[in-house]
């Protein structure tokens, strides 16, 4: 073999070893810790876990603790990293606007909450700052948010009466309790079958 062919082979080997790639994960704001699931994900890529957690928590100290933040981590060959933190997911904003904890178990058949068009517009403005959604227009973002809201079983209305909505949420809590009991019964029945 020629010298050039040998050099190409060695270059290919070194390039194969260096490929660390990108990592996508959701991390709660201000709560990055070295434990699972974040610690093993970072450890596999050779990133200093303690330094990453300190950096992430420092960058998210202004955000309410516990808010899920989608993160993109690019790992370089020298084990340094580039951290990009996006806005919280649209479902988080939608559930916050509707004042609910859980979305509908059967979207389309049941309504888990209600939000106004103004809520949709405000969420679209917040999500528009994400790098992945920067190319979309406000109209496209609003349509995307409406689709996510419908998939969560949330109804979009023009106006929302607070008293009426309060009554709706009380009725909804009763329905959620029934659903939880049914799920618990199914789990217990499944456990009995397997043992």
């Amino acid at each position: 073999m020629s010298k050039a062919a040998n050099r190409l082979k060695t270059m290919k080997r070194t390039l194969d070893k260096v490929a660390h790639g990108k990592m996508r994960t959701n991390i709660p704001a201000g709560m990055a810790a070295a434990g699972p699931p974040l610690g093993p994900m970072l450890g596999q890529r050779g990133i200093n876990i303690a330094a990453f957690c300190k950096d992430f928590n420092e960058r998210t100290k202004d955000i309410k603790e516990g808010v899920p933040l989608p993160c993109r981590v690019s790992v370089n060959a020298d084990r340094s990293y580039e951290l990009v933190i996006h806005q919280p997911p649209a479902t988080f904003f939608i559930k916050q606007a509707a004042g609910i904890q859980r979305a509908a178990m059967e979207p389309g058949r049941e309504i888990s909450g209600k939000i106004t068009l103004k809520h949709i517009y405000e969420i679209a403005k917040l999500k528009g700052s994400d790098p992945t959604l920067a190319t979309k227009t406000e109209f496209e973002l609003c349509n995307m948010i409406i689709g996510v809201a419908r998939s969560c079983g949330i109804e979009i209305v023009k106006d929302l009466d607070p008293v009426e909505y309060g009554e709706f949420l009380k009725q909804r809590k009763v329905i959620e309790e029934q659903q939880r009991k049914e799920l618990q019964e199914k789990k217990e029945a499944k456990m009995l079958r397997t043992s």
Side-chain angles (χ1 to χ4, degrees), residues 69-141:
L69 297 172
C71 299
R72 308 291 182 266
V73 182
S74 299
V75 184
N76 301 325
D78 60 347
R79 294 188 178 176
S80 63
Y81 61 88
E82 293 174 29
L83 174 63
V84 179
I85 302 171
H86 296 273
Q87 291 288 330
T91 53
F92 174 79
F93 285 130
I94 291 168
K95 288 194 275 187
Q96 288 286 313
I100 60 173
Q101 296 292 318
R102 279 182 52 199
M105 287 183 70
E106 298 176 4
R109 293 187 186 153
E110 63 178 302
I111 297 172
S112 61
K114 298 177 185 180
I115 57 175
T116 62
L117 291 171
K118 186 175 182 180
H119 289 123
I120 297 285
Y121 179 72
E122 292 297 323
I123 294 169
K125 278 177 63 177
L126 284 170
K127 289 299 286 177
S129 65
D130 274 355
T132 53
L133 301 173
T135 57
K136 294 193 182 273
T137 64
E138 281 185 3
F139 180 74
E140 291 172 327
L141 285 170

Side-chain angles (χ1 to χ4, degrees), residues 21-29 31-33 35-45 47 49 52-53 56 60 67-75 81-89 127 130 132:
K22 294 185 178 185
M23 181 178 84
R24 297 172 58 169
T25 184
N26 285 356
I27 307 171
M31 295 175 69
L38 185 61
M41 290 169 75
L42 296 171
Q44 287 175 353
R45 290 163 176 82
I47 298 174
I49 299 167
F52 178 88
C53 292
F56 178 83
T60 59
V67 174
L69 297 172
C71 299
R72 308 291 182 266
V73 182
S74 299
V75 184
Y81 61 88
E82 293 174 29
L83 174 63
V84 179
I85 302 171
H86 296 273
Q87 291 288 330
K127 289 299 286 177
D130 274 355
T132 53

Side-chain angles (χ1 to χ4, degrees), residues 145-195:
I145 302 294
I146 288 170
V148 172
R150 285 187 180 144
S151 71
C152 291
I154 294 174
E155 185 181 8
I156 293 104
V157 294
K158 285 193 175 187
D159 294 315
L160 199 58
D161 181 35
V163 177
E164 186 181 308
Y165 190 59
E167 289 296 318
F168 171 79
L169 287 178
K170 286 179 185 173
Q171 293 170 359
R172 180 72 189 148
K173 281 188 179 180
V174 173
I175 294 169
E176 280 185 16
E177 284 301 317
Q178 289 174 347
Q179 289 175 343
R180 280 197 185 112
K181 285 178 185 174
E182 288 173 13
L183 281 174
Q184 189 64 31
E185 289 171 3
K186 285 181 182 177
K187 283 181 185 176
E188 289 172 2
K190 197 173 194 180
M191 293 294 282
L192 289 173
R193 275 188 270 143
T194 55
S195 57

